[in-house]
Amino acid sequence: MPSSITFFFHIAAAVHLGVASANLFAFRKFHYLEHLAGVPLIVRQVFLVQNAYLMAVQFGLALLCAFFAGELTSGRPMSVAITGFLAVFWGSRVVLQLGYYDPSLRQANRLFDVLFILADGYLTAVYAAAAIGGLRL
Amino acid sequence: MASLIGQNLPTLVLLAAIGQLVLIVASLAIPRVLGWRAETAKLRPLTRQVFWTYAAYIWATNLSFGLVSLHPAWLLDGSPLAAGVTGFISAYWIGRVGIQFFYFDRSDAPSGPAVRLAEVGLVALFVYLAAVYSAATLFNLGRIGP
């Protein structure tokens, strides 16, 4: 695996942090808390915990990309497994964005929509390249 | 004691893998038990779709932890990556135990012996996972030995 891919992992770390911080912004922009006011407390709490956990996962992945880029591209079985899984993870997020979210909502929030597709697509490409490269080592 | 834990860590991590895989199968029933479909139907479409997307990705994260733990040798090779991954997984489950006890309001959750038993089992699993991955982190950092 060429060492230059390390650079792309550092960009991926920044993308993860960007997506994580976008969640905070989305709370205000889309008024999640107001919309959740009509559901039972436990459902509201589950939503908030899921959001916090996914932000924590994004932060953890940012650390992974920033500090373990060399190991992620080492071709070791765990590295291939992790990057392969993350490629599927983020690839499926692109599919969800395109096929699950309401087209009218996407159109109304086109900037967010495009940014998410680009970010998730970039992460998919980097992790897939690392996994495939690792398999060839 | 630390040495005993270190010697048995591969088995403990494998049991953690099985526990997490059982958890992800069992958690497929949670939306039905807690009536999430009916409750989230009251939400606006975007909030509802975000809710289900979050749920799916938490489920996938738990699945990834279970799958990688099926290979204890990977997670216990003493490398910085192994220490980072086990450290993250331990923080994830320690946080989950804390949320169960200090954040979730269970006053309007379904009651009954079956639900109570399931909750006890769930919390016991979270505590076990937090303990095993914490031990694995210490092992990878060289703080406990085989």
Side-chain angles (χ1 to χ4, degrees):
Chain A
M1 173 64 58
S3 61
S4 60
I5 199 169
T6 302
F7 169 76
F8 294 104
F9 268 98
H10 289 163
I11 300 290
V15 171
H16 277 303
L17 292 177
V19 174
S21 56
N23 277 0
L24 289 175
F25 180 71
F27 255 85
R28 260 185 305 168
K29 179 171 172 55
F30 299 118
H31 307 287
Y32 289 153
L33 291 178
E34 292 166 37
H35 298 165
L36 288 163
V39 297
L41 180 59
I42 188 68
V43 175
R44 193 156 64 243
Q45 289 181 326
V46 167
F47 183 94
L48 295 174
V49 167
Q50 287 176 342
N51 182 275
Y53 258 71
L54 285 175
M55 284 178 62
V57 168
Q58 294 270 6
F59 186 69
L61 293 176
L63 292 177
L64 194 70
C65 290
F67 297 109
F68 298 102
E71 290 207 50
L72 287 174
T73 55
S74 67
R76 290 165 51 208
M78 182 162 77
S79 305
V80 173
I82 289 174
T83 52
F85 186 88
L86 289 173
V88 175
F89 191 94
W90 292 110
S92 67
R93 183 65 185 78
V94 176
V95 173
L96 273 185
Q97 188 75 17
L98 295 172
Y100 176 60
Y101 283 104
D102 192 319
S104 61
L105 287 169
R106 289 178 52 215
Q107 190 170 17
N109 301 280
R110 188 56 84 195
L111 179 63
F112 257 100
D113 183 46
V114 171
L115 286 176
F116 269 111
I117 290 170
L118 288 175
D120 298 337
Y122 177 82
L123 295 172
T124 305
V126 170
Y127 288 125
I132 293 166
L135 287 173
R136 286 180 183 157
L137 282 177
Chain B
M1 179 65 177
S3 174
L4 188 65
I5 292 171
Q7 286 169 4
N8 290 294
L9 260 179
T11 306
L12 296 174
V13 169
L14 193 58
L15 289 174
I18 294 166
Q20 284 165 117
L21 294 176
V22 169
L23 173 66
I24 65 146
V25 173
S27 63
L28 293 174
I30 289 175
R32 190 169 44 82
V33 172
L34 296 181
W36 283 3
R37 192 166 295 280
E39 297 297 349
T40 58
K42 301 169 189 166
L43 295 170
R44 290 189 183 184
L46 178 62
T47 313
R48 181 170 62 250
Q49 288 172 337
V50 168
F51 181 96
W52 287 107
T53 302
Y54 284 169
Y57 279 87
I58 292 291
W59 188 88
T61 302
N62 295 345
L63 172 65
S64 73
F65 294 164
L67 291 177
V68 78
S69 302
L70 286 173
H71 304 276
W74 295 358
L75 286 178
L76 298 170
D77 67 3
S79 67
L81 180 60
V85 171
T86 52
F88 183 79
I89 300 175
S90 60
Y92 184 98
W93 291 118
I94 289 168
R96 187 62 186 81
V97 172
I99 285 165
Q100 190 72 19
F101 286 113
F102 302 115
Y103 181 64
F104 276 145
D105 181 330
R106 304 187 310 279
S107 56
D108 61 353
S111 57
V115 172
R116 185 76 190 140
L117 187 66
E119 187 182 358
V120 169
L122 209 58
V123 172
L125 176 61
F126 295 158
V127 171
Y128 175 80
L129 296 171
V132 168
Y133 289 108
S134 296
T137 307
L138 293 174
F139 179 88
N140 284 317
L141 293 173
R143 300 300 173 91
I144 58 175

